[in-house]
Amino acid sequence: MYRVPTTEIRTGMRLGKSIFSVNGQVLLQAGTVLKESLIEPLLRYGITSVYIVNELAPDVEPVDVVAEETRYQLQDELSHTMDEVKVAMAEAAHSGIRHFSFTIRTEGLRQTIDQIIADLLANPRVAVSLQDIRLVDQYTLSHSVNVCILATLLGMELGYPLTDLRNLALGTLLHDIGKVAIPPEILNKPGSLTREEAEVMKQHTVLGWELLKNQPDIPPTAAVVALQHHERWAGGGYPHNLSGDQIFRFSRVCAIVDCYDAMTSDRIYRKGLSPAMALESLSGPMHGFFDPHMLLTFLNCIAPWPVGSMVELTGGRKAVVVAAERGRADRPRVRVLLEADGTRIATPYEIDLFRERHVEIVREVHEDALQYMRELAV
Ligand SMILES: [Fe+2]
């Protein structure tokens, strides 16, 4: 199974994963054979990419480390929380109240967070890939849920106890809550912001902190993530230009996973980067932004080449990734399917790249190349 931009779907491709609407209804069932008439409605619905079955290895499926239902449930609850905050803010503004006070109910959020922790604990070895299919206008919601899941995973790998994991998860889930107070024309503007707009946008950190800091059910260790998640390890971030240990550890976790998820997400104006490319940016040009120990831990548990993706190996043969484990996520097990010239290998065989150190992944194989090879292989 691999991800294909909706605009590049070709008739006859089979849908690998079901597509859900905002409220979790199935729009298109996994297994549906796609045809021209289905593509336009997908685009209209804001679905920019879908999972397609790799016909050369139809049995290979990515592992969901967190159940799809749990993810939708958390997204739904966060959506309600944000709506309640928005309504309360509008009412406060309407009646001219200067000191806005509103109690955020966290019971539902906490229960679902516990389910997420349980799901993650049940899959302790699987390297994570979270390239879910999202609706474009649901960006803040699905991004927040992904950040929460990835942060909890990183917290686990860093050995945090359960109480820390719970607060880390709550803080990272609500890290962008201040965006409810940002004008939608700035928040949803496609492309880059002007200098003035960027300054307004940066205010979401302080606004989030103002909203969360006096909440009876939200400990300061969780609330502070909203304030500090754009600070950078080497300094130069906002709003307070802190550096190193001045930034609370939960905020340092959030900074890494927030960047990673933003880079790999599809937006209206661009397709998300592949995990391999995003991980490369984190460890290359951006590495000074992050706590080095945390970054290294993160790189070890995220799969640069998720299960189901096609890669080219040393010598030019093409393979599909069949398993990736935490701690050695960059050396997955692969099934070799095609010779260098694109002809099909009669008896596909598997290689554990962790043991066979002389074989390297040279590059990812782009979907178009895969399509080309499929035609050759038929
Ligand atoms: Fe943010």
Side-chain angles (χ1 to χ4, degrees), residues 143 146-155 158 160 168 172 175 225 228-233 247-264 278-279 281-283 286-302:
H143 171 65
N146 267 7
V147 165
C148 166
I149 294 171
L150 290 170
T152 311
L153 167 89
L154 181 48
L158 291 166
Y160 289 179
L168 172 68
T172 49
H175 77 284
V225 175
Q228 296 182 341
H229 68 277
H230 289 287
E231 298 286 358
R232 292 174 182 172
W233 178 255
I247 310 163
F248 183 59
R249 56 197 167 98
F250 292 0
S251 314
R252 283 183 258 148
V253 166
C254 189
I256 297 173
V257 301
D258 183 25
C259 270
Y260 174 76
D261 191 69
M263 283 192 280
T264 52
L279 293 174
S281 305
L282 289 185
S283 57
M286 297 172 79
H287 77 277
F289 294 7
F290 311 115
D291 177 324
H293 172 63
M294 287 183 179
L295 179 61
L296 200 64
T297 312
F298 184 67
L299 295 175
N300 277 331
C301 57
I302 298 293

Side-chain angles (χ1 to χ4, degrees), residues 57-103:
D59 59 311
V60 178
E61 282 190 28
V63 184
D64 279 330
V65 281
V66 170
E68 207 130 29
E69 303 82 64
T70 319
R71 173 198 295 272
Y72 277 108
Q73 197 179 330
L74 191 57
Q75 193 165 312
D76 209 38
E77 277 160 8
L78 180 62
S79 167
H80 283 301
T81 304
M82 287 173 78
D83 286 346
E84 282 177 4
V85 173
K86 267 186 219 166
V87 169
M89 279 172 89
E91 278 171 4
H94 186 68
S95 38
I97 298 168
R98 285 182 68 88
H99 292 286
F100 167 75
S101 70
F102 167 73
T103 305

